[in-house]
Amino acid sequence: MAPKSSSNDPRTATAFRINGVDLHVPEGLATPEIIEKLSTGTYEADEARAADRCVKPGFRVLELGAGLGYVTTLAAQRTAPENVLSVEANPALLPVIEANLARNGCNGVTLLHGAVSGAAEEGETASFHISNGFTGSRLGAQGGRQVEVPLIGFHELIRAHRPHVVLMDVEGAEAGFFDRHWKCPLRFCAMELHPRQYGPSVIKKIVDTMSAMGMTYDPVVSSRKILGFRKVWGSDEAE
C-alpha cells in the first residue's frame, strides 16, 4: 500500500497505512530498505498474517519484539488492547510504539521495556546491540552501539500473563525459551527462526518441546523463517 505522505526519504518523518493500521516513523529511525517495505505494504507481512491467523477475540497475547508496534496493533484490534502484553528491548522504539498504538486506538496495551531471556534475576541487566535501522538488534552481538537494558525472564512472563498466543521475533533469543513446558493455556505460537544464531539441534529442541506441549506444526502460519504451531484439539475439545 502507498504511504500517506508524499516522501519516502528516511531522513524525514513519514506516515504509512498498512492493513488499516496507521504507522508513523520518526526522522532517521528507518533505513531505506525498511521505508521501501512500509511503502509497498510488505513490512512484517508474514508476522501480520500470523497475527491474523492466531489471535481470536478474548485471547491473551504475548508479543516479544514489537518493532514499530504494527503487529502489536493488529493483535490488539483482533482481541482487545488490555489482552496484549508486548516487550521491546530497544529504548528508542518505546515512544514510537506507544504513539502508533495511540493513533490506532490501542492505548490499553501493556508495553514493557526489556530483553527477554530464558532466565533472569530480579534487577538483572544486559548489554543490547542496537543495529542500524532497528531491525536485527539483539542480545549478545559484539561491537556497534550498545545499551544496557533490563532482562526479563521468559517463563516468569508466561506465568504472569498466561497467553493463548505467543508471537516472537527476538533475533535468536528464542533458543533459550524451550528448556521446559510453558505454564499457560497456549493455543497458537508463531516465531521467526534465526538459524545463523543456532544450529539444527536447537530447531529440533523447539519442535520437540512444542510437540510435548500438545502443539503441532501450523502450515497456514509458517512461511520461510516464520515457524507456526497450533494446539492439537482432542475429539472432545472445542476450539
Side-chain angles (χ1 to χ4, degrees):
M1 296 183 182
K4 290 175 67 177
S5 71
S6 58
S7 172
N8 284 347
D9 187 344
R11 296 172 300 178
T12 62
T14 310
F16 302 86
R17 185 172 177 84
I18 309 175
N19 287 335
V21 175
D22 291 318
L23 297 173
H24 188 268
V25 184
E27 179 180 354
L29 181 66
T31 63
E33 291 77 14
I34 296 173
I35 290 291
E36 175 66 19
K37 290 180 179 180
L38 287 162
S39 300
T40 59
T42 58
Y43 173 74
E44 294 191 342
D46 291 335
E47 292 86 345
R49 185 166 54 83
D52 183 65
R53 157 73 171 170
C54 298
V55 181
K56 314 289 185 183
F59 275 12
R60 291 184 298 276
V61 179
L62 174 62
E63 181 195 32
L64 308 181
L68 297 174
Y70 171 45
V71 175
T72 322
T73 300
L74 290 174
Q77 291 174 340
R78 293 279 290 171
T79 174
E82 60 269 22
N83 289 335
V84 179
L85 173 61
S86 186
V87 185
E88 176 55 51
N90 187 340
L93 290 177
L94 299 178
V96 179
I97 298 165
E98 290 174 343
N100 283 331
L101 288 170
R103 63 175 43 92
N104 288 283
C106 298
N107 301 74
V109 170
T110 299
L111 178 62
L112 299 182
H113 176 223
V116 181
S117 63
E121 298 294 331
E122 184 175 355
E124 187 177 1
T125 64
S127 185
F128 186 79
H129 170 75
I130 306 293
S131 67
N132 183 34
F134 75 79
T135 58
S137 301
R138 64 185 181 92
L139 286 170
Q142 301 299 314
R145 181 169 159 245
Q146 302 277 339
V147 296
E148 200 72 13
V149 302
L151 277 183
I152 301 174
F154 173 75
H155 293 287
E156 286 70 24
L157 271 179
I158 287 287
R159 284 196 295 268
H161 191 57
R162 302 191 74 249
H164 300 94
V165 179
V166 176
L167 307 171
M168 65 175 83
D169 181 5
V170 285
E171 300 299 324
E174 67 272 6
F177 300 164
F178 296 88
D179 58 327
R180 59 185 184 271
H181 291 189
W182 303 356
K183 295 183 178 180
C184 66
L186 189 66
R187 294 295 178 262
F188 294 94
C189 178
M191 71 190 77
E192 181 175 342
L193 296 178
H194 298 85
R196 291 186 178 181
Q197 308 300 328
Y198 44 72
S201 62
V202 173
I203 298 175
K204 182 180 186 301
K205 183 178 181 180
I206 291 171
V207 173
D208 289 348
T209 303
M210 284 279 103
S211 179
M213 292 193 295
M215 306 291 288
T216 191
Y217 173 78
D218 189 340
V220 177
V221 169
S222 301
S223 174
R224 296 180 286 256
K225 291 192 296 182
I226 301 295
L227 182 59
F229 296 94
R230 63 167 297 147
K231 185 75 173 179
V232 179
W233 306 105
S235 58
D236 60 346
E237 186 177 13
E239 182 174 350

